[in-house]
Amino acid sequence: QVQLVESGGGLVQPGGSLRLSCIVSGFTLDDYAINWLRQAPGKAHDGVSCISERVTYYTGSAKGRFTISRDKAKNTVYLQMNSLTRDDTAVYYCTAAPDCQTRPSYWGQGTQVTVST
């Protein structure tokens, strides 16, 4: 059974950092790309960052501030987020797809990130 479980969200002040984790089961990280998406209140899902065997990429707002990485031995993908702003407030989802250009096949339940004073 495929499962993705996010953790690490929470409340952080502007300028702060958080590290999100996505533990996957039912498949290995060799087989799927992991894409972090986010959804701010009242908005559509937005891509943040993706990692696969061949590529790592970031969308515009994440470049230079976020770092995606993975630990195959732990079946875990991380998203280190630095210099957070209020615009980063959203529910963050990790998703799995055959590659970074393909619509996700599987979704986690999401973790809330709130950037506020």
Side-chain angles (χ1 to χ4, degrees):
Q1 181 181 358
V2 171
Q3 201 169 13
L4 296 90
V5 179
E6 304 97 331
S7 63
L11 174 64
V12 63
Q13 292 188 344
S17 299
L18 282 175
R19 188 177 79 156
L20 306 183
S21 299
C22 173
I23 301 175
V24 308
S25 57
F27 64 93
T28 70
L29 295 178
D30 289 327
D31 299 327
Y32 281 86
I34 300 298
N35 200 336
W36 284 97
L37 307 177
R38 67 186 182 186
Q39 187 175 29
K43 296 188 177 180
H45 289 100
D46 218 9
V48 177
S49 181
C50 186
I51 188 167
S52 71
E53 278 293 299
R54 289 187 296 275
V55 301
T56 300
Y57 80 75
Y58 304 89
T59 60
S61 65
K63 287 178 183 176
R65 298 189 301 132
F66 295 2
T67 303
I68 193 169
S69 62
R70 60 184 190 172
D71 184 334
K72 290 186 182 182
K74 295 182 178 180
N75 272 352
T76 302
V77 174
Y78 303 99
L79 185 68
Q80 176 67 43
M81 306 188 295
N82 299 327
S83 303
L84 288 163
T85 73
R86 288 180 174 82
D87 289 341
D88 295 314
T89 294
V91 178
Y92 285 69
Y93 299 90
C94 71
T95 68
D99 57 64
C100 286
Q101 305 304 317
T102 304
R103 189 180 297 271
S105 304
Y106 304 102
W107 291 70
Q109 83 286 352
T111 185
Q112 176 71 48
V113 172
T114 303
V115 184
S116 175
T117 55

